[in-house]
Amino acid sequence: MLATVIPAPETVLLDVEGSTERFPVRRVYCVGRNYADHAIEMGHDPSREPPFFFQKNADNIYNGETFPYPPLSSDVHFEVEMVMALSSGGADIPVEEALSKVYGYGVGIDFTRRDLQDQMKKMGRSWEVAKAFESSAPVSALVPASKIGHPQEGAIWLDVNGTRRQTGNLNQMIWKLPEIIAELSKLFVLAPGDVIMTGTPAGVGPIVRGDEITCAAEGVGTLTLKVV
Ligand code: MN
């Protein structure tokens, strides 16, 4: 192995349900406003505009049991999302081939510093400070598509302290799983290890330290977290 002038960054690895082998993360892409009722609650037109994407950092992803409340925000919101993990990639992937690129699925949370996002939106600036902060993307263990197929229907929900806060159905996605991959691959060359957060249904809201969050995507998995 070649020497490096500083310690090489560690590859982020996600657990795989029922396996001792893990999934190495390369990039993290997120889809904005992919459920009509969430687009409406954020004050946007839910019609089928071209999808838009933003990114988190690979090392924002983790199989977590806790979520450390981040600094410089007093309005951190949960967004439950189904997560796709790719086993292969490419550019300009046809919709019909897209699902063959998926290794598996998990359920995760796109934590958002909403106050900072609102400031950035007002100033026409980019969203990284709101979206790509430390521990902003906890996710469940992945489940291989070879076991569960490609879940495009089923409940997706999130509870805070036992109260249901978000509910939706995977079939409400404006841009469906294969379309998300196809569209994203027009903009970026996708590759094994890429993770895509597929958008959140309505009901997003703030959390505080001490909250217990449980969320799930039917047929995919459950994630339970304590806010610390
Ligand atoms: Mn989101």
Side-chain angles (χ1 to χ4, degrees):
M1 190 149 137
L2 288 174
T4 53
V5 294
I6 57 165
E10 282 179 30
T11 300
V12 174
L13 299 170
L14 290 178
D15 291 341
V16 173
E17 193 79 45
S19 174
T20 55
E21 296 181 322
R22 296 197 284 169
F23 180 91
V25 177
R26 176 178 176 263
R27 293 180 183 170
V28 181
Y29 295 103
C30 305
V31 188
R33 295 172 207 141
N34 201 29
Y35 288 75
D37 50 358
H38 174 61
I40 291 166
E41 77 177 346
M42 299 304 286
H44 297 280
D45 178 350
S47 61
R48 201 167 131 110
E49 295 167 346
F52 82 89
F53 302 101
F54 59 90
Q55 284 178 259
K56 292 181 184 252
N57 299 299
D59 66 351
N60 299 153
I61 282 252
Y62 65 111
N63 291 129
E65 292 174 359
T66 59
F67 169 67
Y69 200 96
L72 297 176
S73 177
S74 54
D75 194 26
V76 175
H77 281 204
F78 49 79
E79 297 188 357
V80 62
E81 313 209 354
M82 190 166 77
V83 172
M84 281 195 280
L86 302 190
S87 54
S88 59
D92 298 319
I93 298 167
V95 171
E96 315 78 60
E97 289 173 26
L99 290 181
S100 71
K101 312 289 185 185
V102 180
Y103 169 75
Y105 297 89
V107 62
I109 302 177
D110 166 17
F111 277 112
T112 303
R113 291 195 273 216
R114 193 72 74 202
D115 40 6
L116 296 190
Q117 186 189 33
D118 289 345
Q119 286 175 25
M120 294 301 120
K121 282 180 178 174
K122 273 189 200 125
M123 293 190 286
R125 292 183 179 167
S126 65
W127 289 4
E128 285 83 7
V129 296
K131 290 290 196 179
F133 57 88
E134 270 43 72
S135 305
S136 60
V139 60
S140 66
L142 300 177
V143 200
S146 60
K147 286 194 181 151
I148 60 163
H150 300 280
Q152 300 191 75
E153 181 156 21
I156 179 166
W157 53 265
L158 180 143
D159 289 354
V160 180
N161 304 325
T163 302
R164 186 65 37 104
R165 300 292 298 278
Q166 286 193 269
T167 45
N169 194 296
L170 299 172
N171 66 15
Q172 294 165 338
M173 287 187 197
I174 297 170
W175 293 85
K176 307 299 181 192
L177 303 176
E179 294 173 327
I180 292 169
I181 293 170
E183 290 294 320
L184 201 50
S185 75
K186 293 177 185 172
L187 291 160
F188 304 100
V189 181
L190 300 179
D194 287 348
V195 167
I196 304 169
M197 304 190 78
T198 56
T200 196
V204 300
I207 37 104
V208 295
R209 286 187 184 84
D211 281 346
E212 297 266 5
I213 300 175
T214 302
C215 60
E218 190 180 340
V220 176
T222 303
L223 175 67
T224 299
L225 283 172
K226 189 172 180 74
V227 182
V228 295

